[in-house]
Amino acid sequence: MGFLSLLMVASMPVVQVLLIGLLGAFLATKNINVLTPTALKDINKVVFMVFTPSLVFFSFAKSITLQGIISWWFMPVNIGIIFLLGSILGWVIVKVLRPGRHLEGLVIANCTAGNLGNLMLILIPAICAEEGNPFGKIDVCRENGITYVSLSMALGGIFIWTHTYSFMQKDGILREKMKLNNADLEAYQIQTVPLLPDENVSEKKQHFMEKLKPTLHRIVEELMTPPIVAVIVGFIVGVIPWIKSLIFGLNAPLRVLQDSLKLLGDGLLPCIILILGGNLTRGLHKSEIKTSVIVAIICTRYIVLPIAGIGVVRAVKGLGLLPSDTLFAYVLLVQYTLPPGMSIATMAQLFNAGQEECSVIFLWTYLVAALAVTAWSSVFMWILT
């Protein structure tokens, strides 16, 4: 596949995001005033409670099998490495550039959580549809690609709605506290973070389980969010063949559930992008994010992580630990090169945590993604073929 063809294929999903985002920005302007702040918040609740769980459950339950879990074992490890590296780099950025304590979680989230589902769901099948692609027959490539991307989407949901969710939640709590009073932030952090207790005599005498309760409560709370519940239920359905056959398949007796879930899941991406565009109108005027922080996030996502990904995937492939399908290795590499996940915008709206700053970060990262994803895709295919 030529570079120009690859450019068109790789840039198309990013251009779609930008166009729909511009529509959301237009609808949120004062003259149109369709996407008011209240409307954006209400739509976001529907995305969080309905659209995201529907898409995650549909993708995970339909694609997962016990055999697949065994042969694709490295994908969750790969995503874990991405989140680990992104967290370390994000931590360095917030310590060096100091964007503000109420924005630290947002910065780390944008360095760690990539768009592991929606963008790849457009990109991978589009590359497979090109004649002369290096991944084999179009039909086989497309079927395998959608399966890999569905697994990536579901696994990414687990990481995003636990790891990233906790960072965004802390930002929201801190921001609310700042609105209530101007007390010392350091003192507030000690009061609210259960893992850093006061060193007074009474706390030292507390029983270990008493200290552990707040942490356990927080973990359970995060695991009970609708997207994570959808992943758990989807996993159970996916690995039990007789339950899966009741819902998924042309002759499934409950096929109407499959069609209904897909219909709801299809509403996720346009709603999130419209919310993103709506927040952008405020973000361009009120954003507190520094230009240097945006540049650092872009360098992390499109320079450091892709280079690290090449080293990780080549090493694992050289040890013979990956399936023989080259497309699987390609999907692993692309996971290192994606712009921030749309779920970050959902969380920013949900917790009122840096909505304007999130919109500005997304604007620039998705603009750069049009070129970065294309360039790295060419490099990845050259490496694998």
Side-chain angles (χ1 to χ4, degrees):
M1 191 181 342
F3 180 79
L4 290 178
S5 298
L6 180 60
L7 177 65
M8 292 297 295
V9 170
S11 62
M12 196 60 65
V14 179
V15 172
Q16 290 174 1
V17 169
L18 294 175
L19 289 176
I20 299 174
L22 288 174
L23 175 61
F26 174 71
L27 293 176
T29 56
K30 292 182 179 180
N31 293 331
I32 306 299
N33 204 33
V34 173
L35 291 179
T36 62
T38 303
L40 288 170
K41 191 171 184 179
D42 291 339
I43 295 172
N44 193 72
K45 288 180 180 178
V46 176
V47 168
F48 178 68
M49 297 295 296
V50 180
F51 293 158
T52 301
S54 298
L55 183 62
V56 169
F57 174 83
F58 176 82
S59 302
F60 206 43
K62 186 178 181 181
S63 62
I64 198 69
T65 62
L66 284 175
Q67 184 179 2
I69 293 174
I70 296 172
S71 60
W72 305 331
W73 67 271
F74 188 70
M75 185 173 287
V77 176
N78 193 59
I79 296 174
I81 293 172
I82 294 172
F83 273 74
L84 176 61
L85 292 175
S87 297
I88 294 172
L89 294 169
W91 180 82
V92 172
I93 290 172
V94 299
K95 292 303 178 185
V96 174
L97 300 180
R98 300 186 181 279
R101 297 193 66 83
H102 60 293
L103 295 174
E104 289 184 358
L106 177 66
V107 172
I108 295 175
N110 278 280
C111 290
T112 56
N115 196 327
L116 293 168
N118 299 318
L119 199 59
M120 293 179 69
L121 201 57
I122 302 171
L123 178 63
I124 301 300
I127 289 177
C128 288
E130 290 290 329
E131 292 187 9
N133 76 80
F135 305 120
K137 295 181 179 179
I138 293 177
D139 293 341
V140 177
C141 175
R142 178 180 173 81
E143 182 178 346
N144 291 340
I146 291 176
T147 301
Y148 299 151
V149 173
S150 297
L151 180 61
S152 173
M153 180 187 300
L155 292 171
I158 295 175
F159 282 90
I160 288 172
W161 288 101
T162 50
H163 176 277
T164 308
Y165 182 89
S166 65
F167 280 108
M168 296 300 292
Q169 188 180 44
K170 287 178 182 178
D171 273 11
I173 294 172
L174 188 55
R175 190 177 285 261
E176 284 300 315
K177 183 66 176 181
M178 290 171 63
K179 288 180 180 179
L180 293 174
N181 56 63
N182 294 320
D184 181 43
L185 296 183
E186 294 293 336
Y188 171 67
Q189 185 186 39
I190 294 175
Q191 292 171 10
T192 55
V193 181
L195 294 180
L196 298 174
D198 258 323
E199 292 297 327
N200 55 50
V201 177
S202 62
E203 284 198 3
K204 287 181 180 179
K205 294 181 179 179
Q206 282 184 340
H207 192 272
F208 175 74
M209 288 305 296
E210 290 297 323
K211 293 182 179 181
L212 198 60
K213 278 183 181 179
T215 304
L216 292 176
H217 176 75
R218 179 167 152 261
I219 292 172
V220 171
E221 187 180 58
E222 291 174 6
L223 290 176
M224 292 306 293
T225 58
I228 294 302
V229 172
V231 169
I232 295 171
V233 177
F235 175 82
I236 295 171
V237 172
V239 298
I240 302 177
W242 70 269
I243 297 180
K244 187 174 184 177
S245 63
L246 291 176
I247 302 174
F248 298 98
L250 295 175
N251 300 318
L254 299 178
R255 186 187 172 189
V256 65
L257 290 178
Q258 169 187 287
D259 297 336
S260 299
L261 288 167
K262 186 179 186 303
L263 186 63
L264 288 170
D266 288 342
L268 172 66
L269 188 56
C271 283
I272 290 180
I273 301 173
L274 286 173
I275 292 170
L276 173 67
N279 287 329
L280 182 60
T281 57
R282 290 182 293 164
L284 290 176
H285 299 289
K286 300 194 303 183
S287 172
E288 300 176 14
I289 199 76
K290 299 177 182 176
T291 303
S292 57
V293 174
I294 297 175
V295 172
I297 292 172
I298 290 173
C299 291
T300 297
R301 295 224 64 93
Y302 301 127
I303 297 177
V304 181
L305 285 178
I307 293 173
I310 291 174
V312 171
V313 175
R314 288 194 70 176
V316 177
K317 188 175 177 63
L319 294 172
L321 300 177
L322 295 182
S324 58
D325 188 3
T326 307
L327 181 61
F328 183 78
Y330 175 75
V331 170
L332 295 179
L333 287 168
V334 171
Q335 288 175 339
Y336 285 89
T337 322
L338 298 167
M342 290 294 179
S343 296
I344 298 174
T346 302
M347 296 174 196
Q349 186 82 34
L350 192 67
F351 298 119
N352 192 25
Q355 300 168 53
E356 296 85 4
E357 291 79 8
C358 181
S359 296
V360 173
I361 292 172
F362 271 41
L363 172 65
W364 291 108
T365 52
Y366 274 82
L367 281 173
V368 176
L371 295 176
V373 173
T374 301
W376 281 112
S377 293
S378 303
V379 173
F380 295 156
M381 282 192 270
W382 176 75
I383 291 173
L384 295 172
T385 58

